[in-house]
Amino acid sequence: MLESLAFALVKTFISFMFEHHLENMQSIRIEGAPGWYSQQTVDHICDSGFGYGNLEAVEKAKSGARKQMVLRLDRALEIVVYENFRDKTDPTERALIDRFKQDEDLPLFVESNVVYGNIEYQQERSTAYARVCLSKERLLEYQNERVEKLRK
């Protein structure tokens, strides 16, 4: 019973992330930002960040993009659980769902697995832009690993 619930959690989360992702792939253009800023790709989830300053702005932009990715994944977990699993009342199932929602390692996972798709510094604006991307396959692997740990 818990195994099927765990599988459903991961499947629903990944489906949500990429269906929602594909729905939001329309072109967004932010004046002054590079053309790739806030753009998505088919097999990756991407987030962008920016920072002001001299060269330290690059690190601020990269950090901001990673934070956006963590926030996006956290929020998606909340939505998936709310929309699909809020009616579960069995205490064992609820405990698994609640543990699944609390991902303490997510910031470390994001930091160690994102790929910096683009980084650009615009000296005239003293602004840096960065885009991080996370592959669908790696996100699925990570969620499956988490569920295996939670089931033990």
Side-chain angles (χ1 to χ4, degrees):
M1 174 167 63
L2 285 181
E3 187 168 320
S4 62
L5 176 62
F7 176 73
L9 281 165
V10 171
K11 183 177 184 265
T12 306
F13 174 69
I14 296 297
S15 294
F16 174 84
M17 286 303 300
F18 282 88
E19 285 173 16
H20 185 71
H21 162 71
L22 291 174
E23 290 171 2
N24 292 319
M25 280 189 67
Q26 71 269 13
S27 181
I28 299 171
R29 182 74 177 116
I30 298 172
E31 189 175 337
W36 49 260
Y37 193 85
S38 293
Q39 299 297 312
Q40 299 296 322
T41 64
V42 175
D43 292 329
H44 292 80
I45 300 287
C46 299
D47 274 302
S48 300
F50 67 94
Y52 297 113
N54 294 318
L55 289 179
E56 74 276 3
V58 172
E59 286 306 314
K60 290 177 186 175
K62 289 167 57 177
S63 176
R66 288 191 310 267
K67 287 177 186 171
Q68 281 299 116
M69 179 71 71
V70 170
L71 291 172
R72 183 180 195 176
L73 295 172
D74 265 341
R75 187 71 183 141
L77 276 172
E78 291 287 333
I79 292 169
V80 163
V81 168
Y82 176 77
E83 290 182 352
N84 300 282
F85 301 98
R86 71 176 177 241
D87 61 339
K88 298 290 182 187
T89 57
D90 177 85
T92 308
E93 290 179 337
R94 281 294 343 147
L96 178 66
I97 292 167
D98 290 342
R99 287 193 321 267
F100 186 75
K101 284 185 356 183
Q102 304 302 318
D103 187 0
E104 296 172 359
D105 293 330
L106 184 59
L108 290 174
F109 166 75
V110 167
E111 188 165 346
S112 63
N113 287 279
V114 293
V115 174
Y116 293 93
N118 304 89
I119 298 173
E120 183 176 317
Y121 180 74
Q122 295 179 354
Q123 189 168 1
E124 68 280 357
R125 295 178 183 214
S126 297
T127 306
Y129 300 90
R131 181 171 74 156
V132 296
C133 297
L134 183 61
S135 75
K136 179 179 181 178
E137 293 80 25
R138 185 61 191 115
L139 183 59
L140 178 59
E141 288 171 9
Y142 174 70
Q143 295 301 335
N144 283 328
E145 290 167 7
R146 286 189 58 230
V147 165
E148 284 301 315
K149 289 178 187 175
L150 291 174
R151 286 185 19 214
K152 294 178 182 180

